Amino acid sequence: MFEVAVVSEQPVSLAGLEKLASDAADMRVTAAVATVEELLEMAGLYDVVVLDLPEYADAAEISLAASLGSPLVSAGWRRTGLLTAVRAGARGCVGHRTEQRDIREALHVIAGGGFYVCPRLVGRFQEELARGGGEEPSGLAPREIETLRLIASGFTHAQIATRMGLSPATVNTYAKRIRAKLNVSNKAELTRAAIELGHYQQKQPLSRAAA
């Protein structure tokens, strides 16, 4: 019996993906949560982690999910490339309009140790392979770039967590990865790197809700 975890901030998508996986006779959904952070707190391991993301596939979120199982990523794919997701650890990629039968096939392929790309995305995946993926030059994922901008602008990790809707532990993880990718060891070097990469922005005051 394959164990599956489903992650989606959208209740309808969460319920739909949970039912889709549960309908398979050889699969059992043992976790259904809104965020990867919640899944990490459960400290479980899974054969497949179905990660439903909004408009773009967040490489940092995928990497966190990959520490718990083989990620099947469902996303809009408007801002992040398929190769970026795969390099972050995704074992399968589907879209929000992918047919249910294709998602079932993806679950079984990934649970069996394989790799899957939805038929609707194969052409795009081949194009990305041909041009090398078009990744952000620094290698930072969208959420890591957002974190870098806020750190360089003087926000604390706690303030960043509030603004981004994340736990402080996740922000700390992002910060460690940013320093490793940029090969910097302190905030001064990190700020200089942010300026050089064009990711520095003037600090804006916190809103009442975020203060």
Side-chain angles (χ1 to χ4, degrees):
M1 181 72 69
F2 296 115
E3 294 195 355
V4 179
V6 181
V7 181
S8 177
E9 293 183 351
Q10 301 297 324
V12 174
S13 296
L14 182 65
L17 290 167
E18 183 179 3
K19 184 179 186 306
L20 192 62
S22 298
D23 284 345
D26 58 349
M27 292 194 175
R28 178 178 60 189
V29 176
T30 54
V33 297
T35 65
V36 176
E37 287 76 23
E38 290 180 59
L39 197 62
L40 284 168
E41 291 174 358
M42 297 173 69
L45 294 176
Y46 311 91
D47 295 294
V48 183
V49 177
V50 183
L51 184 58
D52 181 53
L53 297 170
E55 295 302 316
Y56 62 93
D58 190 319
E61 293 291 293
I62 296 169
S63 294
L64 288 174
S67 68
L68 303 173
S70 298
L72 169 60
V73 180
S74 173
W77 303 110
R78 294 183 182 179
R79 288 175 53 191
T80 305
L82 293 159
L83 278 181
T84 299
V86 172
R87 287 166 178 160
R91 297 298 302 167
C93 301
V94 297
H96 291 155
R97 296 184 179 180
T98 297
E99 298 288 343
Q100 290 188 4
R101 65 175 181 273
D102 293 326
I103 295 177
R104 290 193 187 96
E105 182 181 355
L107 286 167
H108 283 96
V109 169
I110 295 168
F115 177 82
Y116 185 92
V117 175
C118 165
R120 289 175 176 264
L121 299 174
V122 168
R124 175 173 174 173
F125 188 56
Q126 291 174 334
E127 290 176 2
E128 289 189 22
L129 285 171
R131 66 172 184 262
E135 288 190 319
E136 213 275 343
S138 66
L140 298 178
R143 285 276 195 159
E144 292 171 338
I145 291 173
E146 186 177 358
T147 302
L148 171 62
R149 285 173 175 162
L150 293 171
I151 292 175
S153 296
F155 290 101
T156 67
H157 286 195
Q159 290 173 327
I160 294 169
T162 299
R163 290 175 72 93
M164 295 178 65
L166 302 171
S167 69
T170 299
V171 174
N172 289 337
T173 298
Y174 287 173
K176 289 177 182 177
R177 288 179 177 166
I178 291 166
R179 289 195 296 269
K181 289 182 179 182
L182 300 182
N183 193 29
V184 299
S185 58
N186 56 54
K187 185 175 179 180
E189 292 177 351
L190 187 149
T191 300
R192 183 168 60 251
I195 294 171
E196 292 173 351
L197 291 169
H199 295 322
Y200 176 79
Q201 60 185 13
Q202 194 70 26
K203 181 176 181 178
Q204 300 295 321
L206 289 170
S207 66
R208 286 182 179 271

